[in-house]
């Protein structure tokens, strides 16, 4: 993130009050009658934040995300705009020396504001996505104590919510340059204040006579990326009445380890800046030999350099400084001839896009670095490589981009246009976008300047399922045109880099380094022509994702499905009447319609059936008995659904598809659809289905053909690898086993290896488990592991219900380390049930089938034992550090697969009140919702933060462990 010289963030000490309840003017509030404490009508305010977030914080309104409480909060359409017009007040200290200047900075206000500082009034222009930097040097108090009051006005056209709801309400919100989701959507209830407030960072920054404004950093390459060049342009403003003789320097450092930094470059230039003027200065390019490149997640390291620009003024000293993390990388994009989809390259290497759609972190804009860190790490943990910031949400914040840089998530950033609000819908919306086109363009240009230095930013898009109005679209195309160097070979007759040495420096463009696409379904996305060809958005038969007819275009920007959270989240976010599971209504055609309770319906529940097309996927496991049973079975479906979605797309990497983005990864409130983790930050099993399917190198079962495939999305060829496939039945025996050895995987390819023929064997079991392992034969290292539960064609999973009664023994070895409030727990989880004894050494049949009552365990156990040395190494690591080692054994007389194991972290019983949610969230797991065959061992790492005074405990749940087992309690 960019940092400015002597910047102080004003994020505490604010109070707020409804404007109609304050009897003083802004001048009086900042001179003679300042509020001294949060007494009525004043209350503690959330800044950055919104009016509604402040009201919720003070319990002045109920939590709108709990149950149906949002219905008890008055909507701005009914109250009028004055009801949500609020004063925000704080004080700050700033004492200036001679020739110093102070700016008061607002990085985002929705929608307009009147600012009062020490009795002086400043009227801010409208617009949610524009920065305001006010030179307040002459109105600061000499003693350093300053009084600040801000009167914030809601959007001009907050609109009204039709009784039937709808996408963006009555669409009036589209007349303003603001977020559009706030009138409600099919995944979101309306936000009653329309996000009115000081929603982004407030700060003061002190500089000398000359100020640095919005530097632009651009990297170029030659000699196959072995040589790099940094191009830097910045605006410099001299606010003094004298010509400033300046020394301007740029320094580039890289962190080696343990906060030790290596200075790569330090360049200094002398220049003069006329009085009371601004100039643009471009540094001579800096040369780097063999730079550390920035790569997306799954392609390599996210190497970041720190660029610092400092300006010294003769007679004053250091006047201003600016710093930003920067990654050397080049992003190219073109429409692929083979698929018709848009193909992205990073540093010359094609990248198969697997990612998700993002709205925003929190619907009330309670944004924080800590939450952003968790959000983006979750996406990286799912092995995603792109996030699409949807046009009805935010121009995301620098903190969001900072963590995308750090974790390697490419970002597709849209501007504030959606088809529903800007061209179609019921009522039909206005296709001409916001009323003030100049404001839209100013905000777009300001957003580009704010975000353009982030290596994670991959492309700009005009809008969601809609193109901006012609004049806006033409201006954006012109402003965001590519420098010739960044145009892709496939789209131009000139080779990349064939540009005149006299052409404008790269960094002098507004951007110039990444493409602009006019809309999310144009130019290589969906059908490329803007027809409504994204989706679908509901439950699918898992095998359909693999079928050629499922989706006909090369890159799907939105495909969605279910997202039911765990039962604990339902209990934490709804009263008891919301704990009722859906009624399963049998239809004459044999399908089931799910009828959810009114609270689930309000929270936009999406069913697990699609009458006429998809049978209820929860009922495949038998009737759900209660909330816990329903949510557990939903997790089984979540895992299968999203793993199949990504595996189906990946199975046609480059031959049919160039990428897919799932709608959507998370909900900005307590919604019940399209999410991999809920608003409380607990993951669904779908999270781990995606994590499995999106591995850079992955072994998978094609559910349509039963071919076992290996996907290599990396740029490296892999040789001397093997696949082990073993089938396990509900009796704990292994009726099918096959190893395919010593083959190679070409880079960026999908390879079908062999067909899994167990379903074609004599008397196959109606429900069975399949374990696939891809491993390196030279050291037995497991590269990819994938576990399936399957039923025969036309069948179901109902036999898994009595399987819950089996008690499979486990042994869990754990070691805890604590650093301040962060806990790290390393575990080895072992299924200690014994593999079946051999009854015949000659019972092996062709293609690895085994007789029903005999098993050659030597063959069946080979693949498992081959990895034992790996597990032993891990175990020795534990054994060498005996202090704090804990062993938990769960006894059981049965032999079989320990199915669908999952951990959760809770406060101890002494730390919580009865009936309260005891979970500690968020928690990062190396894996969860996993299964172990007999004799198998798996390492699991868990990390989380715990508030002071809280004792955590780790609990294991599973299909065979219904009550939960306490594995680790740290006293």
């Amino acid at each position: 993130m960019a940092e400015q010289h002597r910047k102080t963030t004003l994020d505490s000490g604010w109070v707020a009050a409804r404007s109609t309840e304050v009897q003083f003017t802004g001048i009086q509030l900042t001179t003679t009658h300042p509020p001294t404490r949060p007494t009525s009508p004043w209350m503690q305010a959330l800044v950055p934040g919104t009016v509604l977030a402040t009201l919720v914080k003070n319990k002045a309104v109920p939590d709108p995300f709990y149950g149906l409480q949002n219905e008890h909060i008055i909507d701005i359409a009914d109250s009028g705009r004055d009801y949500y017009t609020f004063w925000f007040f704080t004080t700050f200290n700033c004492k200036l020396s001679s020739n110093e200047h102070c700016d008061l900075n607002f990085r985002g206000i929705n929608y307009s504001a009147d600012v009062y500082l020490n009795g002086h009034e400043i009227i801010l222009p409208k617009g949610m996505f524009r920065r305001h930097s006010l030179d307040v040097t002459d109105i600061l108090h000499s003693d350093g104590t300053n009084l600040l009051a801000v009167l914030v006005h809601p959007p001009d056209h907050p609109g009204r919510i039709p009784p039937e709801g709808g996408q963006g309400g009555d669409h009036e919100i589209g007349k303003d340059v603001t977020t559009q989701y706030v009138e409600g959507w099919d995944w979101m209830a309306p936000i009653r204040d329309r996000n009115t407030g000081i929603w982004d960072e407030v700060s003061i920054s002190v500089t000398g006579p000359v100020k640095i404004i919005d530097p632009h950093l651009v990297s170029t390459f030659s000699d196959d990326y072995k040589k790099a060049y940094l191009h830097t342009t910045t605006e410099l403003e001299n606010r003094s009445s004298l010509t400033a003789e300046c020394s301007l320097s740029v320094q580039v450092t890289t962190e080696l380890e343990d906060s030790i930094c290596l200075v790569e470059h330090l360049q200094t230039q002398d220049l003069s800046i006329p009085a009371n003027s601004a100039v643009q200065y471009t540094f001579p390019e800096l040369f780097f030999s063999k730079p550390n490149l920035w790569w997306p997640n799954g392609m390599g390291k996210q190497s970041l350099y720190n660029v610092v620009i400092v300006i010294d003024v003769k007679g004053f000293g250091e006047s201003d400084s600016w710093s930003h993390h920067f990654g050397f990388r080049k992003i190219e994009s073109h429409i692929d001839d083979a698929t018709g989809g848009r193909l992205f390259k990073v540093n010359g290497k094609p990248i198969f896009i697997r990612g998700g759609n993002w709205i925003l972190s929190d619907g009330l804009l309670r944004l924080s670095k800590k939450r952003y860190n968790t959000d983006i790490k979750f996406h990286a943990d799912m092995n995603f490589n792109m996030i699409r910031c949807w046009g009805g949400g935010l121009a995301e914040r620098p903190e969001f981009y900072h963590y995308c840089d750090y974790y390697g998530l490419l970002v597709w950033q849209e501007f504030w246009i959606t088809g529903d609000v800007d061209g179609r819908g019921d009522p039909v919306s206005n296709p001409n976008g916001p009323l003030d086109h100049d404001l839209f363009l100013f905000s777009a240009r300001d957003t580009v300047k704010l975000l353009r230095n982030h290596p994670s930013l991959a492309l700009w898009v005009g809008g969601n399922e809609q193109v901006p109005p012609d004049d806006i679209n033409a201006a954006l195309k012109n402003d965001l045109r590519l420098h010739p160097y960044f145009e892709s070979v496939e789209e131009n007759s000139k080779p990349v880099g064939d540009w005149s040495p006299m052409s404008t420096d790269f960094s002098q463009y507004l951007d110039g380094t990444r493409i602009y696409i006019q809309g999310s379904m144009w130019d290589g996305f969906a059908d490329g022509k803007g027809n409504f060809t994204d989706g679908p958005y509901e439950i699918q038969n898992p095998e359909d994702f693999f079928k050629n007819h499922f989706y006909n275009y090369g890159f799907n920007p939105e495909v969605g499905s279910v997202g039911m959270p765990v039962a604990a989240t339902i209990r934490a976010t709804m009263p008891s009447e919301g704990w009722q599971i859906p009624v399963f209504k049998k239809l004459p055609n044999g399908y089931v319609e799910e009828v959810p309770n009114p609270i689930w319906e309000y929270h936009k529940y999406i069913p697990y059936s699609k009458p006429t097309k998809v049978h209820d996927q929860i009922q495949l496991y038998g009737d759900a008995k209660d909330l816990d049973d329903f949510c557990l079975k939903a997790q089984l479906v979540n895992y299968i659904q999203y793993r199949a979605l990504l595996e189906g797309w990946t199975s046609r990497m480059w031959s049919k598809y160039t990428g897919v983005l799932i709608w959507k990864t998370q909900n900005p409130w307590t919604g019940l659809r399209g999410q991999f983790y809920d608003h409380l930050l607990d993951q669904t099993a779908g999270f781990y289905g995606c994590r499995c399917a999106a591995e850079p190198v992955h072994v998978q079962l094609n559910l349509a053909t039963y071919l076992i495939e290996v996907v290599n999305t990396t740029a490296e060829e892999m040789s001397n690898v093997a696949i082990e496939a073993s089938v396990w039945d509900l009796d704990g025996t292994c009726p099918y086993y096959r190893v395919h050895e010593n083959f190679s995987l070409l880079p960026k390819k999908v390879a079908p290896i062999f067909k899994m023929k167990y379903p074609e064997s004599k008397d196959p079991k109606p429900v069975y488990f399949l374990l696939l392992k891809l491993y390196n034969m030279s050291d037995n290292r497991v590269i990819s592991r994938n576990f399936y539960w399957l039923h025969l064609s036309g069948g179901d999973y109902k036999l898994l219900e009595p399987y819950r009664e089996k008690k499979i023994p486990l042994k869990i070895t754990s070691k805890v380390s604590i650093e301040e409030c962060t806990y790290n727990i390393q575990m080895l989880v072992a299924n200690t049930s014994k593999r079946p004894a051999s009854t015949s050494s000659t019972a092996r049949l062709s293609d690895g089938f085994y007789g029903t009552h005999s098993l050659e365990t030597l063959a069946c156990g080979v693949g498992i034992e081959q990895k034992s040395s790996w597990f032993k190494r891990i175990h020795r690591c534990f054994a060498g550090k005996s202090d704090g080692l804990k062993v938990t054994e769960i006894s059981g007389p049965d032999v079989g697969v320990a199915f669908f194991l999952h951990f959760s972290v809770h406060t101890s019983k002494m730390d919580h009140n009865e009936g309260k949610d005891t979970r500690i969230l968020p928690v990062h797991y190396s894996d969860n919702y996993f299964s172990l065959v007999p004799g198998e061992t798996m390492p699991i790492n868990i990390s989380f933060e715990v508030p002071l005074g809280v004792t955590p405990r780790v609990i294991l749940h599973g299909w065979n462990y219904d009550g939960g087992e306490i594995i680790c309690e740290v006293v």
Side-chain angles (χ1 to χ4, degrees):
M1 292 168 288
E3 291 296 337
Q4 203 79 20
H5 180 66
R6 286 184 61 185
K7 171 182 160 183
T8 302
T9 303
L10 307 181
D11 57 1
S12 61
W14 289 84
V15 292
R18 185 169 284 111
S19 62
T20 55
E21 298 175 1
V22 176
Q23 57 181 322
F24 301 112
T25 66
I27 292 174
Q28 291 173 314
L29 289 173
T30 57
T31 54
T32 57
H33 292 82
T36 56
R37 58 187 183 276
T39 55
S40 183
W42 296 94
M43 63 190 82
Q44 289 183 343
L46 198 61
V47 175
T50 64
V51 168
L52 188 55
T54 287
L55 293 171
V56 171
K57 173 184 172 69
N58 288 275
K59 295 182 169 51
V61 297
D63 180 353
F65 295 170
Y66 183 87
L68 298 177
Q69 290 183 166
N70 193 48
E71 292 296 279
H72 301 299
I73 302 174
I74 189 168
D75 192 83
I76 193 171
D78 301 314
S79 67
R81 292 174 70 247
D82 285 350
Y83 187 79
Y84 287 109
T85 300
F86 263 61
W87 282 106
F88 291 85
F89 178 88
T90 192
T91 62
F92 64 88
N93 291 312
C94 182
K95 195 168 184 178
L96 300 179
S97 301
S98 177
N99 290 328
E100 286 188 324
H101 295 258
C102 179
D103 290 314
L104 173 61
N105 309 298
F106 296 93
R107 210 169 63 183
I109 290 181
N110 193 28
Y111 186 60
S112 60
D114 309 330
V115 176
Y116 296 86
L117 179 62
N118 300 334
H120 295 261
E121 181 186 39
I122 307 167
I123 305 299
L124 297 186
K126 298 174 181 178
M128 183 175 183
F129 302 113
R130 63 183 300 169
R131 295 171 294 171
H132 307 276
S133 186
L134 313 174
D135 186 348
V136 296
T137 304
D138 295 336
I139 56 179
L140 294 183
H141 283 157
S142 57
D143 66 357
T145 302
N146 301 280
L147 287 72
L148 173 63
V150 185
L151 181 64
V152 180
H153 304 277
D156 293 345
H157 302 89
R160 181 170 294 277
I161 315 303
E164 66 276 11
Q167 313 294 78
D170 64 1
H171 309 139
E172 282 291 295
I173 197 72
K175 294 179 178 179
D176 297 331
V177 183
T178 186
T179 48
Q180 296 184 357
Y181 76 91
V182 289
E183 279 201 69
W185 226 266
D186 58 6
W187 42 264
M188 181 79 184
I191 303 296
R192 300 305 188 189
D193 70 340
R194 309 296 191 263
N195 283 156
T196 302
I198 307 174
W199 70 276
D200 200 6
E201 179 185 271
V202 185
S203 67
I204 56 170
S205 52
V206 176
T207 70
V210 179
K211 177 184 178 182
I212 299 170
I213 301 174
D214 291 331
H216 188 198
L217 310 175
V218 176
S219 58
T220 61
F221 302 91
S222 64
D223 194 16
D224 195 24
Y225 296 90
K226 296 182 180 68
K227 297 176 182 177
Y229 306 87
L230 177 64
H231 307 260
T232 308
T233 294
T234 185
E235 186 178 347
L236 303 168
E237 182 185 9
N238 180 6
R239 294 191 280 192
S240 73
S241 58
L242 300 173
T243 298
E245 301 297 332
C246 304
S247 173
L248 182 65
S249 66
V250 57
Q251 176 178 285
V252 184
T253 60
T254 182
E255 186 171 319
L256 299 178
E257 57 182 17
D258 299 327
S259 299
I260 298 174
C261 292
L262 172 67
V263 178
E264 293 270 0
H265 278 285
L266 176 60
Q267 184 186 93
T268 302
Q269 304 290 317
D270 295 328
L271 68 156
S272 296
I273 306 176
N276 300 309
S277 66
V279 300
Q280 182 173 286
Y281 180 79
T282 300
F283 282 91
E285 65 187 31
L286 297 176
F287 169 70
F288 294 76
S289 178
K290 298 180 180 178
N292 297 319
L293 299 181
W294 184 93
W295 293 97
N297 188 34
M299 290 184 73
K301 292 183 178 180
Q302 289 74 55
S303 299
L304 293 171
Y305 291 76
N306 192 38
V307 179
V308 180
I309 299 174
V310 178
I311 188 160
D312 285 277
V313 175
K314 188 176 180 180
F316 179 85
E318 184 178 310
S319 180
D320 198 7
S321 69
W322 174 95
S323 65
H324 200 291
H325 284 107
F326 181 74
F328 283 97
R329 65 97 182 94
K330 183 180 181 182
I331 291 180
E332 299 170 275
S333 175
H334 69 276
I335 297 175
D336 177 48
D337 289 337
T339 63
R342 184 155 287 276
L343 188 150
F344 290 88
K345 288 184 177 181
V346 179
N347 303 329
K349 306 293 185 183
I351 175 171
F352 188 71
I353 298 297
R354 293 176 292 189
N357 284 263
W358 166 274
I359 312 303
L360 65 163
S361 187
D362 177 72
L364 302 188
L365 303 189
R366 293 168 294 195
L367 311 178
S368 70
K369 293 179 183 178
K370 187 174 182 180
R371 173 123 190 170
Y372 273 141
N373 187 10
T374 298
D375 280 319
I376 305 309
K377 187 178 188 308
F378 276 175
H379 285 73
D381 287 346
M382 284 188 282
N383 291 311
F384 284 174
N385 53 31
M386 180 176 277
I387 297 178
R388 174 191 172 208
C389 293
W390 175 74
L394 291 182
E396 266 300 350
R397 300 296 84 199
E399 292 82 2
F400 172 91
Y401 274 93
H402 168 75
Y403 290 111
C404 288
D405 295 343
Y406 184 80
Y407 290 113
L409 275 297
L410 295 171
V411 185
W412 156 334
Q413 180 67 61
E414 285 179 4
F415 296 111
W416 318 286
I417 296 287
T418 67
D420 301 276
V421 175
D422 299 295
R424 64 165 191 267
D426 184 14
V428 176
S429 53
N430 171 28
N432 201 35
L435 297 179
D436 191 338
H437 288 198
D438 289 339
L439 171 59
F440 186 100
L441 286 170
F442 180 92
S443 301
R445 291 166 183 142
D446 198 51
T447 296
V448 172
K449 291 177 182 178
L450 179 67
L451 302 177
R452 63 189 176 185
N453 294 317
H454 289 278
S456 57
L457 178 55
L459 72 159
W460 304 103
V461 178
N464 165 64
E465 297 174 350
Q466 181 65 301
V467 175
D470 290 344
D471 59 326
I472 292 179
N473 193 40
L476 289 174
K477 283 182 178 179
N478 181 66
D479 288 350
L480 297 173
R481 66 193 185 281
L482 289 174
H483 187 285
Y485 171 85
F486 290 94
E487 293 177 350
S488 193
V489 173
E490 289 82 356
E491 293 179 324
N492 297 275
S493 57
K494 294 188 302 181
V496 172
D498 183 14
W499 51 278
S500 167
M502 299 303 293
S503 50
T504 305
D505 185 277
F506 312 90
S507 59
Q508 292 179 18
Y509 278 54
L510 177 64
D511 187 338
T513 69
R514 44 181 74 85
I515 60 167
Y516 167 74
I517 302 293
Q518 58 187 340
S520 66
M521 299 189 299
W522 279 259
D523 303 321
F525 300 119
D527 75 346
K529 301 174 183 178
N531 296 306
F532 200 75
T533 49
D534 48 8
Y537 300 95
E538 61 279 308
I539 192 77
Q540 303 293 325
N541 294 307
E543 63 273 17
D544 288 350
F545 290 114
F546 294 84
K547 295 177 179 177
N548 197 50
H549 65 267
F550 181 75
Y551 187 72
N552 293 324
Y553 308 103
F555 194 123
N556 194 341
E558 296 183 14
V559 56
S561 190
V562 291
M564 190 67 189
V566 299
T569 291
I570 297 297
R571 292 192 176 94
T573 58
M574 298 178 184
S576 56
E577 53 266 33
W579 303 353
Q580 301 302 311
I581 65 174
V583 174
F584 294 88
K585 183 180 176 183
K586 194 73 176 282
L587 301 178
N589 61 5
Y591 287 86
V592 165
E593 177 187 357
E594 290 185 20
V595 182
N597 68 64
I599 299 180
W600 285 25
E601 191 169 10
Y602 190 81
H603 286 253
K604 314 296 185 178
Y605 173 76
I606 188 168
Y608 283 70
S609 64
K610 187 179 180 184
T612 75
K613 291 189 177 181
V614 182
H615 286 287
D616 195 283
Q617 298 294 288
I618 288 178
Q619 286 206 323
L620 288 180
Y621 298 88
D623 293 334
K625 296 184 283 294
D626 53 25
L627 179 65
D628 292 286
D629 192 40
F630 180 90
C631 289
L632 177 59
K633 289 172 178 173
Q635 300 318 308
L636 290 162
V637 181
N638 291 346
Y639 193 103
I640 289 177
Q641 183 77 179
Y642 286 109
R643 178 178 60 182
L645 189 160
L646 285 181
E647 289 184 340
W649 244 272
T650 306
S651 71
R652 285 183 168 82
M653 178 177 69
W654 312 132
S655 62
K656 185 175 182 182
Y657 301 126
T658 59
V660 61
L661 299 175
I662 297 173
W663 182 268
K664 50 195 175 13
T665 57
Q666 44 73 250
N667 275 301
W669 77 308
T670 49
L672 299 181
R673 65 165 61 198
Q675 60 186 356
F676 298 128
Y677 58 94
D678 59 43
H679 193 250
L680 305 183
L681 298 176
D682 200 357
Q683 301 103 327
T684 72
F687 182 106
Y688 296 96
C690 283
R691 178 183 174 87
C692 173
E695 293 174 302
V697 180
H698 180 63
V699 59
Q700 64 184 41
L701 177 70
N702 186 312
L703 295 178
T705 64
Y706 265 52
L707 283 170
I708 292 174
E709 304 168 337
V710 179
V711 180
N712 181 8
T713 65
T714 74
E716 304 297 326
E717 180 176 354
M718 305 186 71
S719 59
N720 197 29
V721 295
I723 288 178
E724 174 192 274
S726 57
V727 167
W728 298 83
D729 61 25
L730 299 185
D731 296 320
T733 62
C734 180
Y736 174 90
Y737 176 81
R738 180 170 176 179
V739 173
H740 187 89
E741 296 184 315
N742 200 22
F743 62 95
S744 297
L745 300 173
L746 294 175
K748 305 290 182 181
K749 295 291 184 182
V750 179
I753 306 300
F754 62 87
K755 188 171 184 179
M756 206 282 286
K757 295 184 177 179
Y758 174 74
E760 302 169 6
S761 65
K762 184 180 178 181
D763 298 326
K765 298 297 178 68
V767 175
Y768 59 95
F769 304 111
L770 170 66
L771 176 62
L772 301 178
K773 286 185 178 181
L774 175 72
Y775 61 93
N776 191 317
M777 294 185 67
S778 62
D779 60 4
N780 294 323
R781 177 177 59 88
V782 175
I783 302 168
S784 173
R785 177 189 183 277
N786 203 346
F787 180 89
Y788 295 83
W789 52 103
L790 301 164
H791 61 71
L792 297 181
S793 179
D796 56 40
Y797 293 114
K798 290 179 181 177
L799 286 177
L800 284 175
E801 187 63 36
Y803 188 73
R804 296 171 87 159
E805 301 304 315
K806 283 209 169 189
K807 300 306 175 189
I808 312 297
L810 294 176
K811 180 178 181 181
I812 302 172
T813 307
S814 57
K815 181 174 177 58
V816 180
S817 62
I818 307 171
E819 186 174 339
E820 295 181 349
C821 294
T822 300
Y823 285 68
N824 289 288
I825 302 177
Q826 295 176 285
M827 290 185 176
L828 282 177
V829 186
N831 179 345
T832 55
S833 65
K834 294 183 178 180
R835 291 189 294 276
S838 173
T839 57
S840 170
S841 61
T842 59
R844 185 169 183 175
L845 306 177
S846 63
D847 198 53
F849 289 112
Y850 294 89
T852 305
H853 302 293
S854 64
L855 175 70
E856 188 188 74
T857 54
L858 178 62
C860 187
V862 162
I864 300 166
E865 293 298 337
Q866 281 174 329
K867 266 67 80 191
S868 66
S869 60
W870 177 56
F871 294 127
K872 285 175 182 176
R873 286 198 298 274
I874 298 172
H875 203 283
R876 281 199 298 271
C877 175
F878 276 102
K881 301 177 182 178
S882 58
D883 291 344
L885 205 65
K886 178 183 171 75
V887 176
T888 302
E889 295 198 56
I890 301 171
S891 60
D894 296 311
V895 173
V897 170
F899 183 51
F900 216 51
L901 306 174
H902 49 106
F903 291 104
S904 57
V905 183
H906 299 254
T907 61
S908 72
K909 290 184 177 179
M910 298 177 290
D911 296 331
H912 70 271
N913 299 323
E914 196 64 37
K916 295 289 185 181
D917 185 7
T918 65
R919 289 173 297 170
I920 293 172
L921 298 170
V923 180
H924 298 277
Y925 302 92
S926 62
D927 206 351
N928 218 356
Y929 295 98
F930 60 97
S931 303
L932 297 174
V933 303
E936 192 180 19
T937 307
M938 180 177 288
I940 300 290
N941 295 324
I942 304 174
S943 64
F944 52 91
E945 288 187 11
V946 173
L948 288 173
V950 170
T951 301
R953 55 178 175 155
V954 179
I955 296 180
L956 173 73
H957 313 266
W959 195 252
N960 310 101
Y961 312 91
D962 222 7
E965 301 278 351
I966 298 176
I967 302 304
C968 180
E969 186 158 10
V970 185
V971 181

